[in-house]
Each structure stands twice: as C-alpha cells, then as structure tokens.
mmCIF file of all heavy atoms in Angstrom:
data_model
loop_
_atom_site.group_PDB
_atom_site.id
_atom_site.type_symbol
_atom_site.label_atom_id
_atom_site.label_comp_id
_atom_site.label_asym_id
_atom_site.label_seq_id
_atom_site.Cartn_x
_atom_site.Cartn_y
_atom_site.Cartn_z
ATOM 1 N N VAL I 21 -8.277 6.300 -3.124
ATOM 2 C CA VAL I 21 -8.495 5.780 -1.779
ATOM 3 C C VAL I 21 -7.183 5.316 -1.154
ATOM 4 O O VAL I 21 -6.814 5.745 -0.066
ATOM 5 C CB VAL I 21 -9.511 4.608 -1.790
ATOM 6 C CG1 VAL I 21 -9.657 4.021 -0.394
ATOM 7 C CG2 VAL I 21 -10.848 5.057 -2.339
ATOM 8 N N ALA I 22 -6.477 4.426 -1.850
ATOM 9 C CA ALA I 22 -5.249 3.863 -1.296
ATOM 10 C C ALA I 22 -4.377 3.321 -2.423
ATOM 11 O O ALA I 22 -4.876 2.966 -3.491
ATOM 12 C CB ALA I 22 -5.554 2.752 -0.299
ATOM 13 N N GLY I 23 -3.064 3.252 -2.167
ATOM 14 C CA GLY I 23 -2.139 2.709 -3.154
ATOM 15 C C GLY I 23 -1.016 1.961 -2.467
ATOM 16 O O GLY I 23 -0.725 2.176 -1.279
ATOM 17 N N ILE I 24 -0.374 1.078 -3.237
ATOM 18 C CA ILE I 24 0.739 0.308 -2.698
ATOM 19 C C ILE I 24 1.733 0.063 -3.814
ATOM 20 O O ILE I 24 1.361 -0.209 -4.952
ATOM 21 C CB ILE I 24 0.236 -1.023 -2.073
ATOM 22 C CG1 ILE I 24 1.370 -1.766 -1.354
ATOM 23 C CG2 ILE I 24 -0.417 -1.902 -3.129
ATOM 24 C CD1 ILE I 24 0.865 -2.917 -0.482
ATOM 25 N N ARG I 25 3.011 0.148 -3.477
ATOM 26 C CA ARG I 25 4.063 -0.097 -4.465
ATOM 27 C C ARG I 25 5.349 -0.489 -3.766
ATOM 28 O O ARG I 25 5.537 -0.221 -2.577
ATOM 29 C CB ARG I 25 4.298 1.144 -5.328
ATOM 30 C CG ARG I 25 4.867 2.311 -4.548
ATOM 31 C CD ARG I 25 5.475 3.340 -5.473
ATOM 32 N NE ARG I 25 6.602 2.760 -6.200
ATOM 33 C CZ ARG I 25 7.172 3.342 -7.240
ATOM 34 N NH1 ARG I 25 6.718 4.507 -7.688
ATOM 35 N NH2 ARG I 25 8.188 2.771 -7.851
ATOM 36 N N TRP I 26 6.236 -1.069 -4.522
ATOM 37 C CA TRP I 26 7.554 -1.409 -4.034
ATOM 38 C C TRP I 26 8.336 -0.115 -3.827
ATOM 39 O O TRP I 26 8.308 0.777 -4.673
ATOM 40 C CB TRP I 26 8.241 -2.308 -5.051
ATOM 41 C CG TRP I 26 9.634 -2.688 -4.695
ATOM 42 C CD1 TRP I 26 10.057 -3.298 -3.544
ATOM 43 C CD2 TRP I 26 10.795 -2.513 -5.502
ATOM 44 N NE1 TRP I 26 11.406 -3.507 -3.611
ATOM 45 C CE2 TRP I 26 11.891 -3.050 -4.799
ATOM 46 C CE3 TRP I 26 11.015 -1.966 -6.769
ATOM 47 C CZ2 TRP I 26 13.182 -3.032 -5.310
ATOM 48 C CZ3 TRP I 26 12.298 -1.963 -7.279
ATOM 49 C CH2 TRP I 26 13.373 -2.485 -6.539
ATOM 50 N N SER I 27 9.038 -0.008 -2.712
ATOM 51 C CA SER I 27 9.737 1.228 -2.401
ATOM 52 C C SER I 27 11.065 1.360 -3.117
ATOM 53 O O SER I 27 11.641 2.432 -3.172
ATOM 54 C CB SER I 27 9.976 1.313 -0.886
ATOM 55 O OG SER I 27 10.933 0.346 -0.493
ATOM 56 N N GLY I 28 11.543 0.270 -3.690
ATOM 57 C CA GLY I 28 12.846 0.307 -4.341
ATOM 58 C C GLY I 28 13.976 -0.037 -3.411
ATOM 59 O O GLY I 28 15.125 -0.153 -3.826
ATOM 60 N N TRP I 29 13.683 -0.211 -2.133
ATOM 61 C CA TRP I 29 14.717 -0.517 -1.160
ATOM 62 C C TRP I 29 14.355 -1.791 -0.394
ATOM 63 O O TRP I 29 14.720 -1.940 0.763
ATOM 64 C CB TRP I 29 14.909 0.629 -0.196
ATOM 65 C CG TRP I 29 15.281 1.892 -0.894
ATOM 66 C CD1 TRP I 29 14.478 2.948 -1.151
ATOM 67 C CD2 TRP I 29 16.548 2.218 -1.477
ATOM 68 N NE1 TRP I 29 15.150 3.923 -1.841
ATOM 69 C CE2 TRP I 29 16.424 3.499 -2.058
ATOM 70 C CE3 TRP I 29 17.784 1.549 -1.548
ATOM 71 C CZ2 TRP I 29 17.491 4.125 -2.703
ATOM 72 C CZ3 TRP I 29 18.836 2.176 -2.200
ATOM 73 C CH2 TRP I 29 18.677 3.447 -2.764
ATOM 74 N N GLY I 30 13.614 -2.658 -1.060
ATOM 75 C CA GLY I 30 13.244 -3.932 -0.442
ATOM 76 C C GLY I 30 12.003 -3.842 0.416
ATOM 77 O O GLY I 30 11.630 -4.815 1.059
ATOM 78 N N GLY I 31 11.390 -2.678 0.463
ATOM 79 C CA GLY I 31 10.195 -2.522 1.275
ATOM 80 C C GLY I 31 9.002 -2.141 0.438
ATOM 81 O O GLY I 31 9.033 -2.176 -0.798
ATOM 82 N N THR I 32 7.943 -1.792 1.114
ATOM 83 C CA THR I 32 6.687 -1.442 0.459
ATOM 84 C C THR I 32 6.210 -0.090 0.958
ATOM 85 O O THR I 32 6.272 0.186 2.157
ATOM 86 C CB THR I 32 5.608 -2.500 0.757
ATOM 87 O OG1 THR I 32 6.038 -3.761 0.264
ATOM 88 C CG2 THR I 32 4.288 -2.131 0.085
ATOM 89 N N ASN I 33 5.767 0.735 0.035
ATOM 90 C CA ASN I 33 5.156 2.007 0.402
ATOM 91 C C ASN I 33 3.656 1.913 0.246
ATOM 92 O O ASN I 33 3.156 1.337 -0.734
ATOM 93 C CB ASN I 33 5.682 3.126 -0.495
ATOM 94 C CG ASN I 33 7.114 3.500 -0.180
ATOM 95 O OD1 ASN I 33 7.612 3.216 0.900
ATOM 96 N ND2 ASN I 33 7.784 4.131 -1.125
ATOM 97 N N THR I 34 2.949 2.436 1.206
ATOM 98 C CA THR I 34 1.500 2.524 1.103
ATOM 99 C C THR I 34 1.068 3.975 1.204
ATOM 100 O O THR I 34 1.745 4.793 1.829
ATOM 101 C CB THR I 34 0.793 1.703 2.197
ATOM 102 O OG1 THR I 34 1.254 2.134 3.482
ATOM 103 C CG2 THR I 34 1.093 0.218 2.038
ATOM 104 N N TYR I 35 -0.056 4.285 0.570
ATOM 105 C CA TYR I 35 -0.545 5.642 0.496
ATOM 106 C C TYR I 35 -2.045 5.627 0.741
ATOM 107 O O TYR I 35 -2.738 4.707 0.309
ATOM 108 C CB TYR I 35 -0.273 6.227 -0.908
ATOM 109 C CG TYR I 35 1.134 6.028 -1.402
ATOM 110 C CD1 TYR I 35 1.492 4.859 -2.086
ATOM 111 C CD2 TYR I 35 2.118 7.003 -1.202
ATOM 112 C CE1 TYR I 35 2.783 4.661 -2.541
ATOM 113 C CE2 TYR I 35 3.407 6.815 -1.668
ATOM 114 C CZ TYR I 35 3.725 5.646 -2.336
ATOM 115 O OH TYR I 35 5.005 5.460 -2.796
ATOM 116 N N TYR I 36 -2.533 6.675 1.407
ATOM 117 C CA TYR I 36 -3.949 6.731 1.723
ATOM 118 C C TYR I 36 -4.489 8.144 1.544
ATOM 119 O O TYR I 36 -3.796 9.125 1.813
ATOM 120 C CB TYR I 36 -4.202 6.290 3.171
ATOM 121 C CG TYR I 36 -3.796 4.870 3.446
ATOM 122 C CD1 TYR I 36 -2.550 4.556 3.960
ATOM 123 C CD2 TYR I 36 -4.679 3.827 3.165
ATOM 124 C CE1 TYR I 36 -2.175 3.252 4.194
ATOM 125 C CE2 TYR I 36 -4.314 2.508 3.404
ATOM 126 C CZ TYR I 36 -3.066 2.235 3.921
ATOM 127 O OH TYR I 36 -2.708 0.927 4.144
ATOM 128 N N ALA I 37 -5.738 8.207 1.135
ATOM 129 C CA ALA I 37 -6.435 9.479 1.158
ATOM 130 C C ALA I 37 -6.686 9.864 2.610
ATOM 131 O O ALA I 37 -6.860 8.991 3.476
ATOM 132 C CB ALA I 37 -7.768 9.358 0.409
ATOM 133 N N ASP I 38 -6.696 11.149 2.880
ATOM 134 C CA ASP I 38 -6.901 11.599 4.256
ATOM 135 C C ASP I 38 -8.210 11.079 4.833
ATOM 136 O O ASP I 38 -8.304 10.804 6.037
ATOM 137 C CB ASP I 38 -6.893 13.132 4.295
ATOM 138 C CG ASP I 38 -5.501 13.708 4.089
ATOM 139 O OD1 ASP I 38 -4.514 12.958 4.224
ATOM 140 O OD2 ASP I 38 -5.407 14.904 3.780
ATOM 141 N N SER I 39 -9.210 10.952 4.007
ATOM 142 C CA SER I 39 -10.531 10.557 4.480
ATOM 143 C C SER I 39 -10.585 9.119 4.982
ATOM 144 O O SER I 39 -11.532 8.740 5.684
ATOM 145 C CB SER I 39 -11.563 10.735 3.358
ATOM 146 O OG SER I 39 -11.218 9.945 2.235
ATOM 147 N N VAL I 40 -9.577 8.305 4.639
ATOM 148 C CA VAL I 40 -9.615 6.898 5.053
ATOM 149 C C VAL I 40 -8.439 6.495 5.936
ATOM 150 O O VAL I 40 -8.383 5.367 6.413
ATOM 151 C CB VAL I 40 -9.682 5.953 3.828
ATOM 152 C CG1 VAL I 40 -10.845 6.338 2.914
ATOM 153 C CG2 VAL I 40 -8.365 5.940 3.049
ATOM 154 N N LYS I 41 -7.509 7.409 6.163
ATOM 155 C CA LYS I 41 -6.349 7.092 6.993
ATOM 156 C C LYS I 41 -6.784 6.647 8.371
ATOM 157 O O LYS I 41 -7.650 7.243 8.999
ATOM 158 C CB LYS I 41 -5.446 8.324 7.112
ATOM 159 C CG LYS I 41 -4.475 8.506 5.970
ATOM 160 C CD LYS I 41 -3.594 9.723 6.186
ATOM 161 C CE LYS I 41 -2.685 9.953 5.002
ATOM 162 N NZ LYS I 41 -1.877 11.183 5.152
ATOM 163 N N GLY I 42 -6.166 5.576 8.821
ATOM 164 C CA GLY I 42 -6.485 5.032 10.139
ATOM 165 C C GLY I 42 -7.664 4.081 10.132
ATOM 166 O O GLY I 42 -7.904 3.381 11.125
ATOM 167 N N ARG I 43 -8.405 4.038 9.034
ATOM 168 C CA ARG I 43 -9.564 3.137 8.944
ATOM 169 C C ARG I 43 -9.375 2.059 7.876
ATOM 170 O O ARG I 43 -9.848 0.933 8.051
ATOM 171 C CB ARG I 43 -10.829 3.937 8.621
ATOM 172 C CG ARG I 43 -11.173 4.992 9.639
ATOM 173 C CD ARG I 43 -12.548 5.604 9.358
ATOM 174 N NE ARG I 43 -12.612 6.278 8.063
ATOM 175 C CZ ARG I 43 -13.483 5.973 7.110
ATOM 176 N NH1 ARG I 43 -14.360 5.006 7.290
ATOM 177 N NH2 ARG I 43 -13.474 6.652 5.971
ATOM 178 N N PHE I 44 -8.705 2.403 6.786
ATOM 179 C CA PHE I 44 -8.512 1.465 5.675
ATOM 180 C C PHE I 44 -7.053 1.015 5.631
ATOM 181 O O PHE I 44 -6.142 1.789 5.958
ATOM 182 C CB PHE I 44 -8.861 2.115 4.346
ATOM 183 C CG PHE I 44 -10.325 2.407 4.139
ATOM 184 C CD1 PHE I 44 -11.256 2.307 5.167
ATOM 185 C CD2 PHE I 44 -10.782 2.785 2.881
ATOM 186 C CE1 PHE I 44 -12.592 2.575 4.961
ATOM 187 C CE2 PHE I 44 -12.124 3.059 2.654
ATOM 188 C CZ PHE I 44 -13.025 2.953 3.702
ATOM 189 N N THR I 45 -6.854 -0.214 5.179
ATOM 190 C CA THR I 45 -5.504 -0.747 5.007
ATOM 191 C C THR I 45 -5.412 -1.450 3.661
ATOM 192 O O THR I 45 -6.238 -2.322 3.353
ATOM 193 C CB THR I 45 -5.156 -1.737 6.125
ATOM 194 O OG1 THR I 45 -5.267 -1.084 7.392
ATOM 195 C CG2 THR I 45 -3.727 -2.248 5.963
ATOM 196 N N ILE I 46 -4.407 -1.082 2.895
ATOM 197 C CA ILE I 46 -4.151 -1.765 1.631
ATOM 198 C C ILE I 46 -3.003 -2.743 1.837
ATOM 199 O O ILE I 46 -2.035 -2.449 2.539
ATOM 200 C CB ILE I 46 -3.833 -0.761 0.499
ATOM 201 C CG1 ILE I 46 -3.757 -1.474 -0.857
ATOM 202 C CG2 ILE I 46 -2.569 0.025 0.782
ATOM 203 C CD1 ILE I 46 -3.676 -0.531 -2.044
ATOM 204 N N SER I 47 -3.128 -3.912 1.229
ATOM 205 C CA SER I 47 -2.090 -4.927 1.342
ATOM 206 C C SER I 47 -2.108 -5.764 0.067
ATOM 207 O O SER I 47 -3.037 -5.676 -0.736
ATOM 208 C CB SER I 47 -2.301 -5.804 2.569
ATOM 209 O OG SER I 47 -3.555 -6.469 2.500
ATOM 210 N N ARG I 48 -1.076 -6.585 -0.091
ATOM 211 C CA ARG I 48 -1.020 -7.419 -1.293
ATOM 212 C C ARG I 48 -0.441 -8.782 -0.957
ATOM 213 O O ARG I 48 0.352 -8.914 -0.022
ATOM 214 C CB ARG I 48 -0.199 -6.727 -2.383
ATOM 215 C CG ARG I 48 1.284 -6.596 -2.094
ATOM 216 C CD ARG I 48 1.972 -5.622 -3.047
ATOM 217 N NE ARG I 48 1.809 -5.984 -4.447
ATOM 218 C CZ ARG I 48 2.120 -5.195 -5.457
ATOM 219 N NH1 ARG I 48 2.596 -3.979 -5.217
ATOM 220 N NH2 ARG I 48 1.952 -5.579 -6.702
ATOM 221 N N ASP I 49 -0.848 -9.756 -1.753
ATOM 222 C CA ASP I 49 -0.299 -11.108 -1.663
ATOM 223 C C ASP I 49 0.180 -11.445 -3.069
ATOM 224 O O ASP I 49 -0.628 -11.824 -3.936
ATOM 225 C CB ASP I 49 -1.379 -12.082 -1.181
ATOM 226 C CG ASP I 49 -0.836 -13.486 -0.965
ATOM 227 O OD1 ASP I 49 0.216 -13.823 -1.562
ATOM 228 O OD2 ASP I 49 -1.455 -14.255 -0.217
ATOM 229 N N ASN I 50 1.453 -11.289 -3.310
ATOM 230 C CA ASN I 50 1.989 -11.490 -4.655
ATOM 231 C C ASN I 50 1.835 -12.925 -5.127
ATOM 232 O O ASN I 50 1.673 -13.175 -6.318
ATOM 233 C CB ASN I 50 3.447 -11.069 -4.708
ATOM 234 C CG ASN I 50 3.626 -9.574 -4.602
ATOM 235 O OD1 ASN I 50 2.728 -8.801 -4.958
ATOM 236 N ND2 ASN I 50 4.772 -9.139 -4.111
ATOM 237 N N ALA I 51 1.855 -13.864 -4.209
ATOM 238 C CA ALA I 51 1.701 -15.276 -4.594
ATOM 239 C C ALA I 51 0.316 -15.530 -5.173
ATOM 240 O O ALA I 51 0.130 -16.458 -5.972
ATOM 241 C CB ALA I 51 1.941 -16.171 -3.396
ATOM 242 N N LYS I 52 -0.647 -14.714 -4.777
ATOM 243 C CA LYS I 52 -2.027 -14.866 -5.259
ATOM 244 C C LYS I 52 -2.395 -13.799 -6.269
ATOM 245 O O LYS I 52 -3.554 -13.719 -6.684
ATOM 246 C CB LYS I 52 -3.003 -14.825 -4.085
ATOM 247 C CG LYS I 52 -2.821 -15.966 -3.094
ATOM 248 C CD LYS I 52 -3.843 -15.873 -1.966
ATOM 249 C CE LYS I 52 -3.678 -17.029 -1.004
ATOM 250 N NZ LYS I 52 -4.658 -16.956 0.118
ATOM 251 N N ASN I 53 -1.437 -12.949 -6.646
ATOM 252 C CA ASN I 53 -1.720 -11.841 -7.571
ATOM 253 C C ASN I 53 -2.918 -11.018 -7.101
ATOM 254 O O ASN I 53 -3.759 -10.607 -7.908
ATOM 255 C CB ASN I 53 -1.989 -12.372 -8.983
ATOM 256 C CG ASN I 53 -0.797 -13.094 -9.557
ATOM 257 O OD1 ASN I 53 0.344 -12.805 -9.211
ATOM 258 N ND2 ASN I 53 -1.044 -14.067 -10.410
#
C-alpha cells in the first residue's frame, strides 16, 4: 500500500501503490515510534 524511509540526504521518501495514490498518505512520528 505505502512505504516510508529515510532518503539518505536528510529527507524522507514515500512510496505508494497506484491504487491509493492521491488518497492515502503515509507519515511517521519518530518521537512516538
């Protein structure tokens, strides 16, 4: 469905399946794990 990872350049990369692009958003709060 979706994925998130550190880009290696201080940013974040997100990935989505075509079926959910534009409707779903993945995010993270590292302070809350």
Side-chain angles (χ1 to χ4, degrees):
V21 176
I24 187 168
R25 66 163 297 168
W26 178 56
S27 70
W29 301 103
T32 299
N33 287 340
T34 56
Y35 311 87
Y36 298 94
D38 288 343
S39 59
V40 306
K41 276 181 184 176
R43 301 188 298 123
F44 291 11
T45 302
I46 187 171
S47 60
R48 68 194 303 169
D49 184 338
N50 290 334
K52 297 181 179 179
N53 298 332

